[in-house]
Amino acid sequence: MSDLSIYPALGYAFSVSAVNSDGLSSALNSVATAKNVDAEFQSIRGIKARRETVSYRALGMNNYSFQLPKTTQYEDLVLERGVVKSSSDFINWCNSFINMDASESDSSSNNALSTKIILVFLWDRNKMDPLMTWTFYNAYPKAIEYSGISAKDSAFAVETITIAYSHFSTLHSPV
């Protein structure tokens, strides 16, 4: 019998959670915490790291050009979802950070203007076991955008949040 873990997932779900840096180890070790997220999104993009290089030609070697590594560049994380009636700790943090308003911080966060660690969980189709976890460090919201509103269209209002981060790590089959 073949090992099913080497095949692509046949259907998946994902969830997003934001934690303070001191809560990272407990959040990663607790699947219950990962399942109890406060921000459900319909799409995520920007999980991309790219290493910049510089071309170097050694003296006396006219036929060769070496590509030497420089810094790693990370794209912004873009989260999209339909606008919902209820508020969440994640959205409150984003709004407080964008508006530089520490008075909106709730009692569960130390500082509304601090960076957070964003966890993106990729679940199996039954949403029972995480297949992958991406951890984005030193994350903060750069922009919040709402789709255009028109009385002529019968469409969903979409909320788009752009998150900057310093780097990310990937954990396969974390449980």
Side-chain angles (χ1 to χ4, degrees):
M1 178 176 234
S2 64
D3 183 14
L4 294 177
S5 66
I6 62 171
Y7 294 104
L10 298 174
Y12 60 88
F14 63 89
S15 59
V16 178
S17 182
V19 297
N20 294 329
S21 58
D22 57 352
L24 176 63
S25 59
S26 61
L28 282 175
N29 292 331
S30 172
V31 176
T33 301
K35 290 182 181 178
N36 191 17
V37 296
D38 66 352
E40 297 289 332
F41 291 93
Q42 67 187 24
S43 71
I44 299 174
R45 62 182 186 274
I47 303 176
K48 181 178 180 179
R50 181 176 56 86
R51 179 68 102 168
E52 289 190 352
T53 60
V54 62
S55 182
Y56 173 74
R57 295 188 78 147
L59 294 175
M61 298 183 73
N62 295 332
N63 296 337
Y64 299 106
S65 176
F66 298 97
Q67 296 294 320
L68 301 177
K70 287 176 56 175
T71 60
T72 302
Q73 298 293 319
Y74 297 94
E75 285 194 10
D76 291 339
L77 191 63
V78 180
L79 311 169
E80 288 184 341
R81 72 177 189 170
V83 173
V84 294
K85 290 181 184 180
S86 64
S87 184
S88 70
D89 290 341
F90 183 81
I91 298 303
N92 291 341
W93 168 69
C94 291
N95 284 323
S96 296
F97 198 96
I98 292 287
N99 296 318
M100 300 290 289
D101 186 6
S103 66
E104 290 184 26
S105 65
D106 57 51
S107 60
S108 65
S109 68
N110 295 335
N111 186 358
L113 302 179
S114 64
T115 62
K116 296 209 181 253
I117 295 172
I118 306 292
L119 301 167
V120 175
F121 298 94
L122 183 68
W123 300 92
D124 64 1
R125 78 170 106 182
N126 299 324
K127 206 168 184 182
M128 297 299 289
D129 295 316
L131 302 172
M132 283 181 79
T133 302
W134 291 274
T135 306
F136 300 89
Y137 298 92
N138 303 314
Y140 62 91
K142 285 178 58 176
I144 299 175
E145 179 183 353
Y146 295 93
S147 63
I149 300 171
S150 172
K152 293 186 235 177
D153 299 330
S154 177
F156 291 105
V158 177
E159 180 176 53
T160 304
I161 299 171
T162 304
I163 304 281
Y165 56 92
S166 62
H167 64 286
F168 72 85
S169 63
T170 305
L171 183 61
H172 294 271
S173 302
V175 176

